[in-house]
Amino acid sequence: MAKTNIKIEGVPYQVEEGLTILEAAKACGYEIPSLCAFNHGECSKGSCRVCLVEATGARGLVASCVYPVNEGIEISISSPAAVAARRASVELLLSNHSMMCQQCDKNEYCELLHVARATGARENMFRGTHTPTTYDDLTPAVVRDTSKCILCGRCVERCKSAHGKGVLGFENRGFNTIVAPAENRSFDKSPCILCGQCVSVCPTGALMEKSEIDKIDQAKKQGKHLIVQAAPAVRSALGEEFGMKIGTPVTGKMVAALRRLGFNKVYDTNFAADLTIMEEATELLGRIKNGGKLPMITSCSPGWINYAEINNGDLLEHLSTCKSPHEMFGAIAKTYYAETNGIDPKDIFVVSVMPCTAKKGEKEREQLKTNDIPDVDAVITTRELGKLIKRSGINFTKLPDEEFDQDLLGDYTGAAVIFGVTGGVMEAALRTAYYSLTGKEHDLVKFEQVRGFDGIKEASLDIDGTVINVAVAHGMKYAQVLLDDIRAGKSKYHFIEIMGCPGGCIAGGGQPYVKSCFLPNEDDDILDTYKEKRAAALYSEDQRQTVRQSHNNAQIQKLYKEYLGEPNSHKAHEILHTSYKARDAFRD
Ligand code: SF4
Ligand code: SF4
Ligand code: SF4
Ligand code: FES
């Protein structure tokens, strides 16, 4: 890579050619305040003017996030003019801001407050009329409060890259500009799939998940039997809420914390992930054998299900009818577990800790009830669990490692753990499909072709003469490519895994914020590598498990023997399967 000679505050440096001043300065050990710039160019439009510096050859101050370095450029970050201009930019933003910091859930991770501190900005320097604002909390998952929006556009870019079609945009003009779905609609009357990707990049509290912590407090007061389950991706990221390095697995401490939060039972959603594989692999082989609708597509990701119902209503027969793992868990908790323990299912309150905001919406679906009782009662994100632990005065990093409750719904295998990363459901299903067709375990266990972060991955498996072609897509932009092929009759696949969020659940919209300004102990490339690090935490847990195939989960075998009969039985269908319906995003 060619090098460029630059000077910062008179000190000479050599940096890679083509960097912006912001990137070059970071490489040389300086931190220029910035807001709208994010993730190496995602939405670096130079709109917020928080990153102004002086540079030779430029007329006046330049936005360092978009201005490239050139040979011999001399940069000043600390000149009085640059310092004053950055402070004025932030003060302008604050002057049109609601400044309800104490009540704002973003407080601890607010980048606007961070740059206000870094620039010495004061809130009341400019007074005047505020832009008219909108508060949209009509969905169960995502809340939009434009009184806290700084119009940086990160959410618009992220929604476009993750969702593909892009739900958010700038509405109105000039002083009245706000960020909203088209025609200023509320999220519930838009094609929003509730994935929360916009929430994970918003620098302020303008986009947040809808908190359900109060529901847990309420259930405790009512004396409910509280069962909590945690999804695999949560343990790969929860430590980040407590300053631990990205990719640190914290399963044991998470269990210890959940116990200290007063849950009667602490279980792992992985039990139900194994159950999902039993049902889904059986469904797939049944469709292949009996000429059913192919390719069959996974149904674990509620962001994807929303997208399918809104945008691809003609393809819903391709979806597996399996409920997602946490919904299966809730359904089993309120039937098998309730009957075995003699508890009225109405007295059981199931909380899911999820990396996902869309699961908050999923649990409200009419089709996800068993005997008219919702399978899951509350969903909190990894971030909300972090808040709950801090609120309760628990010193997370000092907790001992504890085990999940082992009775009845406690066993899980390595196959279940990798559900949290793109390709994981596919790999887990192939391990069991191979066994179902051959009666033998596959030698490799690992199916490398479906690992990694390519937008679309594919593989072919010859199982005793039955060839199974599979594909994996994550993020709706890539999923739509596979769906268009199915619609055109060109798809060669038998089985497709689709996850709503790019990277899968490890990078779900409810996971801890990955913002370099709050991660001083991480490597500089963390925004490029955090998904790999979280994924590695899950793959290593799979590797450590002695049992790595869902069909070898002893408690799952017992559940079928004593309660469900066999996979895809009538009873299994009643409790563990669901249905879908095409929706008009602008009405339903
Ligand atoms: S977004 Fe930040 S600055 Fe605005 S109210 Fe929330 S914490 Fe305060
Ligand atoms: S929740 Fe997802 S689909 Fe909805 S606006 Fe945000 S990024 Fe777009
Ligand atoms: S909602 Fe958040 S991410 Fe979107 S423009 Fe406003 S401040 Fe930026
Ligand atoms: S960070 Fe450079 S203009 Fe916003």
Side-chain angles (χ1 to χ4, degrees), residues 225 227 229 321-335 345 348-352 359 362-379 572-579:
H225 183 76
I227 299 180
Q229 54 166 325
T321 58
C322 290
K323 290 181 181 175
S324 67
H326 87 114
E327 291 289 340
M328 280 201 186
F329 186 96
I332 285 293
K334 293 188 182 183
T335 52
I348 293 179
F349 192 86
V350 175
V351 178
S352 303
K359 301 246 182 233
E362 180 189 30
K363 73 166 191 320
E364 314 268 316
R365 287 170 71 93
E366 268 307 305
Q367 302 98 311
L368 291 172
K369 289 181 173 168
T370 305
N371 303 325
D372 261 352
I373 300 173
D375 294 331
V376 170
D377 300 287
V379 171
H573 261 277
E574 271 182 353
I575 299 174
L576 304 177
H577 288 249
T578 186
S579 61

Side-chain angles (χ1 to χ4, degrees), residues 173-211:
R173 289 193 179 175
F175 188 66
N176 291 323
T177 305
I178 59 165
V179 161
E183 301 166 9
N184 271 336
R185 288 167 175 275
S186 55
F187 278 134
D188 73 325
K189 294 280 183 287
S190 82
C192 172
I193 61 171
L194 306 180
C195 66
Q197 284 298 313
C198 53
V199 175
S200 57
V201 295
C202 181
T204 70
L207 288 166
M208 294 293 295
E209 70 264 57
K210 192 183 245 182
S211 177

Side-chain angles (χ1 to χ4, degrees), residues 22 33-37 45-51 63-66:
L22 186 75
S34 64
L35 259 184
C36 65
K45 295 214 170 58
S47 62
C48 76
R49 319 302 287 171
V50 165
C51 64
S64 61
C65 67
V66 285

Side-chain angles (χ1 to χ4, degrees), residues 94 97-113 147-148 203-206:
L94 297 176
H97 195 88
S98 71
M99 298 312 298
M100 306 275 281
C101 303
Q102 267 169 317
Q103 294 99 310
C104 180
D105 277 341
K106 196 58 173 274
N107 190 314
E108 193 183 354
Y109 293 105
C110 178
E111 289 180 62
L112 181 56
L113 282 186
S147 75
K148 296 172 185 166
T204 70

Side-chain angles (χ1 to χ4, degrees), residues 148-155 179 202-204 206-207:
K148 296 172 185 166
C149 176
I150 57 165
L151 298 176
C152 68
R154 286 184 187 178
C155 58
V179 161
C202 181
T204 70
L207 288 166

